[in-house]
Amino acid sequence: NNHGGELWGAIQARHFEVQPEMNDSSTDRVERLDLRSDVPTSWQFDEKLWKANEQGLKTDQAGASLLIAFEGSRLDVISRGGRSVADVKINGEAPSQLLSTWAATLPSRTPIDYRPGINRVKIHGQPVAETWTLTVDSASENGEEYTFSLKGSKSGDQGRGDHTEVFRSKNGIIELRPEWFALANAVKIKKKPLPVPFDLTWEVFPMVPDQVEFGADPKNPSGQTTLIQGLPSGSHQLELIPQEGDIHLEEILVFRTGETVPEEDTSE
């Protein structure tokens, strides 16, 4: 009712007050560059192929490389005009070649509970976009002891494991540890055994593509697209290579984490 709404508003409003005595470091971690007024001098591009004006930085020339130097861990672009396709490279490599740009979805639930059967998946090496299926072949009554096999939709059979040791797929991509399995928790909560065999699945995917599309999109009215993320904070160079159409770049957003993250730890 209205009284409840007023009470809830009074409780929450205090958390939105400006606190000038508090140090807000968030503004130092996001840098917005408006290309409609200025283009950084550190960027490299052919001024005969790229035009800078009040609409931003534009080109309709395929292959007209744009090198963007930045300090951070992620870079987004805002583009609401034109329509184009462009390749992306970061520090000379395609984003898919960097382990830090890959992620895994949360594995599916067990047959007896809505919670995930595995709480964590770690990725190594050079993954590919695919679906992974872990088949639990046997499980004790309390769920603490179990055996399983693993296969990838593209990688194929990747071996067998159990509750006694750390598992690594044959191709070295997937790592699973006994403490990440939640089978025993499901049994304890639901107070019934696991009906084996059953499958747990998850997806491994790149968080950013090697090729992006720009232009007006009703599903993305802001025009904001992430070109790269998951990088260790530091100096990087992103290369944008138009393949077709015309690109209108209005703004660039650079994000900084404030700390350097080892690449091996960003894949979880």
Side-chain angles (χ1 to χ4, degrees):
N1 57 32
N2 289 338
H3 178 67
E6 292 173 1
L7 174 62
W8 183 252
I11 292 172
Q12 295 298 318
R14 59 181 178 168
H15 297 291
F16 292 88
E17 294 178 2
V18 176
Q19 304 291 333
E21 69 276 8
M22 296 183 67
N23 180 25
D24 183 8
S25 62
S26 62
T27 55
D28 298 330
R29 296 189 178 184
V30 181
E31 180 182 9
R32 182 182 291 267
L33 304 175
D34 192 339
L35 305 180
R36 294 165 294 188
S37 59
D38 188 32
V39 177
T41 57
S42 60
W43 292 14
Q44 300 177 36
F45 58 92
D46 189 332
E47 295 183 3
K48 295 179 180 179
L49 303 180
W50 288 86
K51 303 299 181 184
N53 54 36
E54 66 280 358
Q55 294 181 319
L57 193 59
K58 304 167 60 177
T59 188
D60 59 2
Q61 300 294 313
S65 175
L66 171 65
L67 292 174
I68 301 174
F70 68 99
E71 290 273 345
S73 58
R74 166 181 162 182
L75 187 143
D76 289 13
V77 63
I78 294 179
S79 174
R80 291 170 290 191
R83 183 163 294 279
S84 59
V85 175
D87 291 340
V88 177
K89 290 187 176 182
I90 183 70
N91 302 326
E93 294 185 291
S96 62
Q97 297 301 304
L98 304 178
L99 179 60
S100 60
T101 66
W102 286 83
T105 61
L106 199 60
S108 58
R109 64 185 187 179
T110 65
I112 63 173
D113 192 23
Y114 68 87
R115 298 170 181 84
I118 305 173
N119 293 322
R120 188 176 179 184
V121 174
K122 190 167 186 178
I123 308 171
H124 296 274
Q126 183 56 64
V128 296
E130 63 180 322
T131 300
W132 288 85
T133 301
L134 181 144
T135 300
V136 178
D137 305 303
S138 66
S140 62
E141 187 173 348
N142 61 8
E144 294 181 358
E145 300 178 7
Y146 50 85
T147 61
F148 63 85
S149 59
L150 182 68
K151 64 179 180 180
S153 58
K154 296 179 181 177
S155 301
D157 175 42
Q158 292 299 313
R160 299 181 58 82
D162 58 34
H163 63 283
T164 64
E165 59 185 1
V166 175
F167 172 82
R168 193 77 173 260
S169 60
K170 290 179 180 179
N171 60 7
I173 300 297
I174 299 296
E175 178 184 331
L176 299 170
R177 300 183 183 181
E179 60 266 29
W180 298 345
F181 281 74
L183 306 184
N185 287 342
V187 172
K188 183 178 180 180
I189 292 170
K190 293 301 182 179
K191 295 180 172 54
K192 55 183 178 181
L194 292 161
V196 292
F198 64 89
D199 292 340
L200 300 174
T201 61
W202 64 88
E203 305 288 332
V204 169
F205 65 97
M207 294 185 288
V208 289
D210 292 343
Q211 189 174 79
V212 296
E213 295 183 8
F214 297 105
D217 183 354
K219 297 181 180 179
N220 182 23
S222 70
Q224 184 169 337
T225 301
T226 299
L227 299 186
I228 191 68
Q229 64 177 322
L231 298 173
S233 261
S235 299
H236 302 286
Q237 188 176 69
L238 184 141
E239 183 178 11
L240 200 60
I241 310 170
Q243 297 301 313
E244 59 181 68
D246 56 324
I247 296 180
H248 295 187
L249 303 180
E250 300 174 33
E251 296 180 83
I252 295 290
L253 282 75
V254 178
F255 299 80
R256 303 183 180 92
T257 62
E259 60 183 6
T260 300
V261 181
E263 181 171 319
E264 183 68 17
D265 292 338
T266 63
S267 61
E268 302 168 5

